Amino acid sequence: MESKFELSLLEPEEREEMNFIWQLLPKEDRKGMEPSDVLFVLDAMDDYLESIGLMESDATTGEVLYKDGEVDETEQLQYVLDAVREGAQSSPSPLCSPLTSAQVQLIMDGEMQYGLQQGWYEEED
């Protein structure tokens, strides 16, 4: 369950991205979800990028640097699904709701749409 305190700690850009993605999700697909689930998936996506060397954080400033490179979308989806499964099984309180693979994919698609809008990504032909 999401806490207002947790969401109050978000940077304005993070809140904007989360709200954008949340609003893209069809209402029927939001059943059983919380906006914090979007954040969990976004964090897992970043964890994946870090694991393959396409993201790093500056320990001093906290700034995040994303590097150009190829992402295996199937591998990334599996990584995120595994993280969601582990998060939902955490105790005593789950880190995220038990999302379906379809819900995870919708969130990831929403992140892509947001990234395209922000100019982070370029559409491929």
Side-chain angles (χ1 to χ4, degrees), residues 47-111:
D47 290 345
Y48 171 77
L49 293 175
E50 190 170 31
S51 77
I52 63 169
L54 293 180
M55 185 192 110
E56 58 186 45
S57 300
D58 184 308
T60 308
T61 64
E63 292 290 318
V64 174
L65 173 66
Y66 292 93
K67 300 176 183 179
D68 287 337
E70 294 294 318
V71 173
D72 181 324
E73 292 176 8
T74 303
E75 186 178 281
Q76 183 184 37
L77 175 60
Q78 189 58 55
Y79 185 98
V80 173
L81 288 171
D82 290 344
V84 166
R85 202 169 305 125
E86 288 173 25
Q89 294 173 356
S90 295
S91 48
S93 61
L95 296 175
C96 70
S97 305
L99 302 175
T100 67
S101 57
Q103 288 170 318
V104 170
Q105 185 65 63
L106 287 168
I107 293 169
M108 292 175 72
D109 291 346
E111 189 277 340

Side-chain angles (χ1 to χ4, degrees), residues 6-7 18 20 22 38 40 46 61 70 77-78 91 97 121:
E6 174 187 313
L7 295 179
M18 181 195 68
F20 178 91
W22 183 254
V38 172
F40 189 91
D46 279 349
T61 64
E70 294 294 318
L77 175 60
Q78 189 58 55
S91 48
S97 305
Y121 309 126

